[in-house]
Amino acid sequence: MEVCISRSELSSYLASRRGNPRVLVPTMGALHRGHTSLFDRAGEVAREMGGGDIVATIFVNPVQFGPNEDFEAYPRPLEDDLAKCREHGVNAVFVPEVATIYAEDRSITITENRLSSTLCGASRPGHFDGVCTVVAKLFNLTLPDAAIFGEKDYQQLAVIRRLVRDLDFPVRILAGSTIRENDGLALSSRNVYLTPEQRAEAPILHRALVATARGIADGRLTTPTEAGDEFLHLISAADLARLDYFEIVDASTLEPLRAFGRSEPRLIAAAFFGKTRLIDNVGVQV
Ligand code: AMP
């Protein structure tokens, strides 16, 4: 596996693989089974392309963190991360420094102003502009044919599909399903921040989403308002959880649903356990 730190190392690697299809998996590191499932999926896609390469990136992107967020504290276990990349068949990892990605006097940022105005975007102003900007740069630097993103970050996936559509990036976007602990908690690099008490309560986020989705699927909850009330009731059982938002949205436009029937619903929520903000989402199995 090639480890590229500088732009020139990355360029040399790409030149040595000229003509080979490439699948990109962007990450911020602190890799867990959620990330490695994306590497495995990238491997399948690369094989379908007739022997393509898997390129991963590990970059904690300062531009997508708010001023009071955890950019400095974000875990960076690089050696472990590289070992996981190797074990899962990654061909090259790009691990740039911040100064390699951003010029000090950079003055251009990509702005997404529809899908980002709600949900996590409302709680984290500027976050998705930072994501769009770095993903666009990583696409330009690594020139992938396809890129894989997790459904765990559902709004991010929708925003990136929009980025690719609206700016004509020649990259196929694929979704990886959410990998969970046995008790349903979605794997996240931020789960390490949870105290044992918070960790014990955290699976309620997923349980409440699933129970509400089931109520919609079996016709017991007939309107989004009823479903919202049910979710609030279920999550209120957790003393340590402070709900940030719960929404039932159209799975592709992320517009809040006023009624069930026409579009595919997606249930999305975020909750704080102490200072740690966890997100999750589920579809409705009809
Ligand atoms: P991050 O390192 O948090 O930026 O995540 C990198 C990629 O991994 C994103 O596309 C995430 O959606 C995806 N990801 C994070 N957690 C999970 C998970 N539990 N299951 C599947 N994919 C995930």
Side-chain angles (χ1 to χ4, degrees):
M1 184 178 81
E2 206 76 33
V3 179
C4 308
I5 310 286
S6 64
R7 282 170 183 251
S8 63
E9 283 166 349
L10 179 66
S11 302
S12 307
Y13 168 76
L14 297 180
S16 75
R17 306 298 296 164
R18 186 164 295 141
N20 251 48
R22 188 150 47 239
V23 185
L24 176 70
V25 184
T27 82
M28 299 203 299
L31 302 180
H32 50 61
R33 286 184 291 113
H35 299 107
T36 57
S37 74
L38 303 185
F39 299 153
D40 296 342
R41 175 106 171 76
E44 289 164 18
V45 175
R47 275 191 292 283
E48 284 161 21
M49 289 171 159
D53 295 320
I54 310 171
V55 173
T57 60
I58 298 178
F59 180 62
V60 186
N61 174 34
V63 177
Q64 71 189 64
F65 285 76
N68 298 318
E69 292 183 357
D70 56 344
F71 173 69
E72 298 295 341
Y74 201 84
R76 292 166 170 85
L78 185 59
E79 288 310 314
D80 284 3
D81 284 351
L82 294 178
K84 285 180 185 146
C85 290
R86 262 186 215 101
E87 278 161 28
H88 288 266
V90 171
N91 299 101
V93 190
F94 182 41
V95 196
E97 303 283 348
V98 171
T100 303
I101 295 295
Y102 294 114
E104 221 168 276
D105 62 346
R106 74 185 187 89
S107 51
I108 294 191
T109 299
I110 294 178
T111 303
E112 197 293 321
N113 54 26
R114 188 181 291 262
L115 302 177
S116 309
S117 59
T118 59
L119 309 170
C120 289
S123 314
R124 304 183 70 188
H127 169 71
F128 287 112
D129 293 351
V131 169
C132 285
T133 303
V134 81
V135 168
K137 286 167 74 70
L138 293 172
F139 284 170
N140 284 334
L141 287 163
T142 63
L143 300 172
D145 298 278
I148 307 193
F149 294 85
E151 278 188 348
K152 151 83 173 19
D153 299 275
Y154 196 83
Q155 188 176 16
Q156 169 172 280
L157 177 63
V159 166
I160 285 165
R161 287 192 194 283
R162 187 61 65 94
L163 168 77
V164 163
R165 187 197 74 178
D166 286 0
L167 295 186
D168 303 299
F169 282 99
V171 181
R172 190 155 60 101
I173 301 300
L174 303 166
S177 33
T178 302
I179 305 297
R180 302 178 179 282
E181 302 283 7
N182 288 337
D183 59 13
L185 177 66
L187 295 192
S188 162
S189 309
R190 292 190 166 102
N191 291 350
V192 297
Y193 299 151
L194 297 170
T195 64
E197 295 74 24
Q198 292 164 349
R199 172 66 189 80
E201 268 199 6
I204 196 167
L205 186 59
H206 180 240
R207 273 205 311 277
L209 283 167
V210 169
T212 307
R214 204 174 297 132
I216 298 169
D218 66 20
R220 186 172 56 84
L221 302 169
T222 56
T223 64
T225 308
E226 272 179 28
D229 290 345
E230 169 89 347
F231 180 87
L232 290 182
H233 168 68
L234 293 169
I235 199 100
S236 67
D239 295 334
L240 304 178
R242 185 166 58 79
L243 189 65
D244 184 15
Y245 66 77
F246 168 78
E247 287 282 355
I248 303 178
V249 298
D250 176 303
S252 51
T253 64
L254 303 186
E255 298 281 344
L257 288 191
R258 302 276 162 249
F260 295 130
R262 284 217 193 131
S263 37
E264 185 191 334
R266 194 89 195 174
L267 281 58
I268 306 199
F272 284 96
F273 291 81
K275 283 191 188 145
T276 307
R277 187 170 167 283
L278 301 182
I279 57 172
D280 207 342
N281 67 91
V282 300
V284 175
Q285 312 289 333
V286 185

